[in-house]
Amino acid sequence: MIREIKTIGPAATIEDARAAMKANGVHHLLVQDGKQIVGLVSERDFGVRPGTAERQRVADVMSPDLVTGTADMTVRQAANLCRGHNLGCLPVLDGDKPVGIVTTADLLELLGRGSERSLGRAAPWTL
């Protein structure tokens, strides 16, 4: 699980989001309005959805309906949640507080190792 969460505001431009992703070496940003998480934006959102060429703000392309996990989920549970919802990443929350993000690449690496640990205890491979 990546514990260093990167966020962006919904009013930020798509170019700002691209630059933040590139600068931080990530493909997903949680969209935060004040203290509230209101969505997720990923590189896939910048050109896949019809009509995004005219849209300029993160709020226009973000996914507002977040599917989230918890740190006590097993790797298998997180992988099945991602697979079932066709997700590229799974924000991990402790209550309402984001504590990390698990990507499909992270899950594949752990599953390849045969891990059954909870996401919160996957420290040896934490980025």
Side-chain angles (χ1 to χ4, degrees):
M1 174 170 69
I2 300 166
R3 295 181 190 275
E4 201 171 313
I5 302 162
K6 303 301 178 190
T7 63
I8 195 160
T13 66
I14 292 170
E15 288 306 313
D16 290 339
R18 281 189 177 130
M21 287 178 190
K22 184 175 182 177
N24 291 291
V26 298
H27 303 282
H28 309 90
L29 298 170
L30 283 178
V31 182
Q32 192 169 355
D33 192 5
K35 292 186 178 187
Q36 184 177 0
I37 301 297
V38 295
L40 177 92
V41 66
S42 71
E43 287 180 337
R44 297 192 300 187
D45 295 324
F46 298 144
V48 174
R49 293 184 183 164
T52 58
E54 311 84 56
R55 296 178 179 178
Q56 296 295 309
R57 303 280 172 209
V58 168
D60 295 325
V61 298
M62 72 179 192
S63 300
D65 300 321
L66 280 183
V67 176
T68 62
T70 60
D72 62 349
M73 294 178 81
T74 66
V75 172
R76 181 171 291 170
Q77 289 170 325
N80 283 331
L81 193 56
C82 287
R83 185 174 55 99
H85 291 278
N86 195 27
L87 302 174
C89 74
L90 183 67
V92 179
L93 304 180
D94 182 6
D96 290 338
K97 182 183 175 201
V99 294
I101 293 180
V102 176
T103 67
T104 53
D106 298 332
L107 291 169
L108 288 171
E109 180 178 337
L110 280 175
L111 289 171
R113 293 180 186 181
S115 179
E116 290 294 328
R117 294 175 292 181
S118 68
L119 293 174
R121 288 192 235 152
W125 64 274
T126 302
L127 301 176

